[in-house]
Amino acid sequence: MRRGKRKPIRNEPYQIPTATESYEAFFSLEKNKEYILSQFHNTEDIKFRKLTIENITCKLAYLDPLVDEDKLQKTIMKPLMEKNTLNIEDTVTSKEYRRSMDLLEAVTGLTKGFVVLFIEGHQHFYLLEAFSANSRAVSEPINEQVVRGSHEGFVENIMQNLQMLRRRIENPNLVIRFFKVGKTTDTKLAIIYLQHLVNPDLIQEVEKRITAIKTDSIQTPGYVEEFIEDSPLSPFPQMLSTERPDRLTAHIIEGRIGLLMEGSPSTLVMPVTFFAFYQSPEDYNSRWYIGSILRLIRVASFIFALGLPSLYIATVSFHSEVLPAELILNIKSSLENVPFPPLLEALIMQIILELLREAAIRLPGPIAQTIGIVGGLVIGTAIVEANLVSNMMIIVVALTAISSFAVPSYEMSMSIRLLGFPLMLLSASFGFIGLVFGLSIILIHLCSLETFGTPYFSPLAPLRLNELKDSIVRLPRWLLGDRPTDVHPQFNKQEWRSRRWKKNEND
C-alpha cells in the first residue's frame, strides 16, 4: 500500500435528496424486497428470512443490529411455524404489532427495530416488535466524561454499538458497510455514514484504503488508523477517536464517516480538523457563552502545554531582561543552588511526570491516587529541598501537565507533550528565536496537512469566516444551521435554502 500524501477529494455538485413519499406495498415479495433494499441503499445489516405458512410464501425483513435473535425466534418465527396460520393477532406473542399497506411505514418501522412480515399475494404486511435490549449495562467512557449530557458509551460488541447509532439516527439513509481485515484475525469492522450527506468520493476513498490493507492481524482501530491515514510521519492525530455515541452521531450528521470494530469500544471519525479535538459534547449541552469560554480555555491549554516550558527556558537562559526586577531576583535566588541548567531541569521533571502518569494509568484506582499524592507532594518537595530543581520549574511543569490534561482527546494530548521536547531544545540553544522558529514549523505543518482531502487546519487555513462560529468559540445554536464545507457534504442547509428560493421565484 502506497503511503504518503493522497490526492484531494473532488467537490461534486450538491444533490438535493428527494422527499420520501407514501407508497403502497406490492403483491410480490421480490418487489417489496427491492423497494426496501433501495430505501436502505443496499446496506448489509438488513436481513430477509423466508417462511412457508399455509402453503403461502412469506418473508421477514429486519435490521440485524436492532433485533434480538432470541426474541425473534420465540415470539415470531416459532409461533408462526407451529400454528401454521396467518392469523397474526392470535399467533405471534410480540408486545406490539400492527398492520399496514404503506411501505414508508415499513421503512420507518425497520429503523425502530420492528420486524416486517410480507405475505405473497397480499398487499398488506405486519410490523412485529422484536427490539434487542443491551446485553450489558452501558457506562460512560472514563476518558470522555461530561457533567451534562448523555452518559452512554460504546462497548466491545459491534452490533450493540450499531444499535446505539440506529437509535439516535432513525433514518433509512444511514448506511453500514462491513469489511473483514487481517488474514489471520479476520477482524470485522464497519463504516457508517448518511448516504444523502456524505461525499461519494470520500466513501470511495475510504473503502479503497480499507480494502488495500494487507496484514495478518488487525486488533484495534489504531491498527487501521496507521494504514489509512494520509501522513504517517505527522505527530498530530488525523482521525478522531471517541467512545461516545452522541459525539460520533454529531460528526456523521455533518457528513463524515465513522468506523467501528468488533472487540473495541473506540471508534474513528474521518475526516476531521484540528479544532474537532478541542470540542466536547458538553459545549453543546451548556449555554453558548459558557461553551465558548470552555473551548477557549482548551485552545489556550494547547498553547500553554506546548510552549510554557520552552518560554521559561528561553527567558531564564537568554532573555531575563524581559521580566520585572523583583521576579528576576526571586528566580535567580531559586536557581543559585541548582547544579543543572534550565533545560536539564525541565527534562528531569518532564520525565518524572511521564513516569508518574504511566504508573497511575497501569495501577488500580485507589493505588493510583496514592501514587499521585506521593509523586506530587513527597517527590516534588524532596527534589526542591535537595536543590535538584528550582521552585519555579516545579510550577511551570505542573501548569504544563494540567494544560495537557485539559485536552478532550488523549491522542492530541500525547502529541502536544512530545512536541514540547524539541521546542525546549530549540529554546535552550537559540532563545526566543529558536522558540519562534519551532512554533513556525508547527504552524506551517498544520496549515499544509490534509486528511482525506480535507484541510486539517480549517477553517483558519484556508480561512472560512462563516465557519469560525463553531471552531474556537461556539455561537448560539440557531446560528449554526449550515454544515461545515471542509468535507464537501452533498446537502447543505444554506445551499438548499438558496435553491428553494430560486425555485419559488421561478414559479
Side-chain angles (χ1 to χ4, degrees):
M1 177 180 177
R2 184 178 65 85
R3 303 176 70 133
K5 222 167 190 180
R6 278 21 183 239
K7 293 181 179 179
I9 296 175
R10 300 187 304 275
N11 187 3
E12 298 290 342
Y14 290 106
Q15 300 291 332
I16 306 301
T18 57
T20 305
E21 299 177 353
S22 299
Y23 204 91
E24 288 188 354
F26 299 96
F27 291 95
S28 170
L29 290 180
E30 290 302 319
K31 289 186 177 180
N32 288 329
K33 179 180 178 180
E34 291 177 2
Y35 178 85
I36 295 296
L37 287 175
S38 65
Q39 290 299 305
F40 284 91
H41 307 283
N42 293 312
T43 179
E44 295 179 8
D45 63 334
I46 189 168
K47 303 296 182 182
F48 294 90
R49 288 195 177 184
K50 187 177 179 181
L51 299 175
T52 302
I53 305 172
E54 295 182 355
N55 296 323
I56 300 176
T57 303
C58 304
K59 189 162 290 188
L60 294 173
Y62 59 93
L63 286 169
D64 195 23
L66 298 181
V67 172
D68 187 340
E69 189 69 25
D70 292 337
K71 188 183 293 185
L72 174 64
Q73 292 288 341
K74 294 178 181 179
T75 64
I76 299 176
M77 295 191 66
K78 186 177 179 180
L80 287 174
M81 298 300 292
E82 289 181 349
K83 297 183 179 181
N84 194 28
T85 176
L86 289 175
N87 186 4
I88 304 299
E89 291 82 358
D90 299 330
T91 303
V92 300
T93 58
S94 300
K95 292 182 180 179
E96 182 181 354
Y97 63 87
R98 59 179 179 269
R99 177 174 168 173
S100 176
M101 296 177 60
D102 186 0
L103 283 176
L104 176 59
E105 191 173 353
V107 172
T108 305
L110 287 171
T111 62
K112 295 181 180 297
F114 283 87
V115 176
V116 182
L117 174 62
F118 293 105
I119 306 172
E120 181 70 39
H122 293 70
Q123 198 172 18
H124 65 269
F125 56 85
Y126 292 92
L127 293 167
L128 310 172
E129 188 272 333
F131 192 76
S132 173
N134 290 331
S135 59
R136 69 176 179 89
V138 176
S139 59
E140 186 175 9
I142 297 176
N143 57 345
E144 293 182 90
Q145 294 183 354
V146 296
V147 177
R148 295 182 60 185
S150 173
H151 296 281
E152 189 177 53
F154 285 126
V155 294
E156 288 72 20
N157 189 321
I158 188 172
M159 286 301 175
Q160 191 169 337
N161 294 337
L162 293 174
Q163 179 192 93
M164 296 182 198
L165 290 176
R166 284 284 184 187
R167 280 181 175 180
R168 292 178 176 273
I169 308 177
E170 296 179 353
N171 193 311
N173 289 296
L174 184 66
V175 178
I176 298 170
R177 300 290 183 203
F178 292 111
F179 297 87
K180 291 294 185 70
V181 292
K183 296 179 181 178
T184 302
T185 57
D186 199 27
T187 306
K188 184 179 183 179
L189 61 86
I191 60 172
I192 309 99
Y193 55 87
L194 284 169
Q195 180 71 32
H196 68 298
L197 292 181
V198 72
N199 186 355
D201 288 326
L202 176 60
I203 302 173
Q204 183 179 359
E205 183 69 18
V206 171
E207 292 181 349
K208 183 180 73 173
R209 298 188 191 184
I210 292 176
T211 54
I213 297 176
K214 305 298 180 184
T215 185
D216 286 340
S217 174
I218 294 290
Q219 299 182 11
T220 66
Y223 286 39
V224 180
E225 183 178 5
E226 289 190 35
F227 276 103
I228 67 176
E229 63 185 357
D230 287 72
S231 303
L233 299 180
S234 174
F236 293 99
Q238 296 156 56
M239 299 177 202
L240 178 65
S241 177
T242 180
E243 297 181 24
R244 298 188 61 91
D246 54 349
R247 198 174 187 186
L248 178 59
T249 299
H251 284 286
I252 291 176
I253 293 175
E254 287 183 349
R256 308 182 196 275
I257 295 178
L259 187 147
L260 279 75
M261 177 177 291
E262 183 67 50
S264 175
S266 298
T267 65
L268 297 178
V269 181
M270 63 194 87
V272 291
T273 62
F274 172 81
F275 297 101
F277 294 93
Y278 289 87
Q279 297 173 358
S280 171
E282 200 160 20
D283 297 346
Y284 303 94
N285 293 321
S286 305
R287 302 291 298 276
W288 67 271
Y289 51 83
I290 297 177
S292 298
I293 293 173
L294 293 176
R295 193 173 294 180
L296 282 172
I297 291 174
R298 295 191 205 107
V299 175
S301 70
F302 166 75
I303 301 173
F304 292 153
L306 186 64
L308 190 58
S310 304
L311 180 63
Y312 173 78
I313 292 172
T315 303
V316 172
S317 303
F318 295 95
H319 310 284
S320 58
E321 67 276 0
V322 301
L323 298 175
E326 296 81 1
L327 186 57
I328 294 175
L329 294 176
N330 291 333
I331 294 176
K332 291 298 182 182
S333 62
S334 65
L335 291 173
E336 284 180 356
N337 298 322
V338 176
F340 306 117
L343 174 62
L344 193 54
E345 278 188 89
L347 290 176
I348 291 174
M349 289 305 302
Q350 290 281 29
I351 293 173
I352 292 176
L353 181 66
E354 293 298 325
L355 289 174
L356 291 173
R357 187 186 63 84
E358 284 296 316
I361 292 175
R362 308 291 174 243
L363 292 173
I367 302 177
Q369 295 177 6
T370 304
I371 288 293
I373 296 173
V374 171
L377 297 178
V378 179
I379 297 179
T381 304
I383 288 178
V384 173
E385 291 179 353
N387 292 325
L388 297 178
V389 176
S390 64
N391 289 324
M392 188 60 68
M393 182 57 73
I394 294 287
I395 297 173
V396 170
V397 172
L399 289 175
T400 303
I402 294 172
S403 299
S404 65
F405 295 149
V407 181
S409 171
Y410 175 78
E411 292 79 8
M412 182 61 74
S413 176
M414 285 296 300
S415 299
I416 295 171
R417 291 203 294 267
L418 291 177
L419 286 173
F421 287 98
L423 284 179
M424 287 190 293
L425 293 174
L426 288 172
S427 299
S429 302
F430 305 103
F432 285 164
I433 296 177
L435 176 59
V436 172
F437 180 75
L439 293 175
S440 299
I441 292 177
I442 294 174
L443 181 60
I444 292 171
H445 175 70
L446 287 173
C447 294
S448 61
L449 189 62
E450 288 188 356
T451 169
F452 293 93
T454 297
Y456 190 71
F457 212 48
S458 175
L460 291 183
L463 182 62
R464 297 187 177 105
L465 295 176
N466 186 47
E467 296 180 18
L468 288 174
K469 55 189 177 184
D470 191 21
S471 55
I472 301 177
V473 296
R474 182 186 82 82
L475 296 187
R477 188 63 194 171
W478 43 269
L479 290 176
L480 305 179
D482 300 330
R483 292 183 175 87
T485 59
D486 48 38
V487 293
H488 310 309
Q490 292 188 75
F491 180 58
N492 189 294
K493 185 176 180 181
Q494 184 178 13
E495 179 75 11
W496 177 79
R497 282 175 178 170
S498 62
R499 294 194 177 195
R500 184 183 62 176
W501 290 339
K502 290 179 181 179
K503 181 179 179 181
N504 292 338
E505 290 175 358
N506 294 334
D507 293 342

